[in-house]
């Protein structure tokens, strides 16, 4: 594993997730309350890019599609596909894939970039 540039710090706005790619790996990068987080870029449910409309709140990232939520600090699953509630479509499509945690990656700032250890 080595440190790789993921995205320029200047391209990030606090609490707004962005997509980045390193080689074949797709990542979601976000600055939240002064900390920089890097996770697997695609939602673990049905692979929606979390940098496109993902919401960061209370230390978690929520996918805009069916609102699967993971903790940013450790990637642990908080809620799996709860949306929409009526009809209970979210719960149904939630069963289409196995519940998973979100892989997370170590970050640091260097040379104007958020770097990710990957
Ligand atoms: S694709 Fe993200 S919650 Fe369904």
């Amino acid at each position: 594993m080595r440190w790789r540039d993921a995205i320029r710090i200047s391209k990030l706005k606090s609490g707004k997730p962005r997509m980045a790619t390193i080689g074949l790996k797709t990542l979601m990068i976000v600055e939240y309350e002064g900390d920089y987080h890097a996770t697997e870029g695609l939602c673990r449910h049905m692979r929606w890019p979390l940098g496109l409309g993902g919401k960061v709140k209370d230390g978690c990232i929520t996918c805009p599609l069916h609102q699967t939520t993971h903790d940013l600090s450790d990637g642990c699953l908080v809620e799996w596909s709860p949306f929409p509630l009526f009809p209970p479509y979210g719960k149904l499509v939630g069963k289409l894939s196995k519940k998973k945690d979100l892989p997370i990656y170590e970050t640091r700032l260097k040379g104007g970039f958020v770097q990710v250890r990957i």
Side-chain angles (χ1 to χ4, degrees), residues 43 45-48 63 65-68:
C43 178
H45 176 228
M46 290 174 75
R47 304 182 65 76
W48 181 267
C63 176
L65 226 54
H66 313 105
Q67 299 182 6
T68 290

Side-chain angles (χ1 to χ4, degrees), residues 18-37:
R18 294 285 305 265
M19 298 304 288
T21 51
I22 297 178
L24 297 176
K25 194 100 191 128
T26 304
L27 301 171
M28 185 283 299
I29 313 283
V30 68
E31 181 274 315
Y32 176 69
E33 294 187 344
D35 291 324
Y36 291 82
H37 301 271

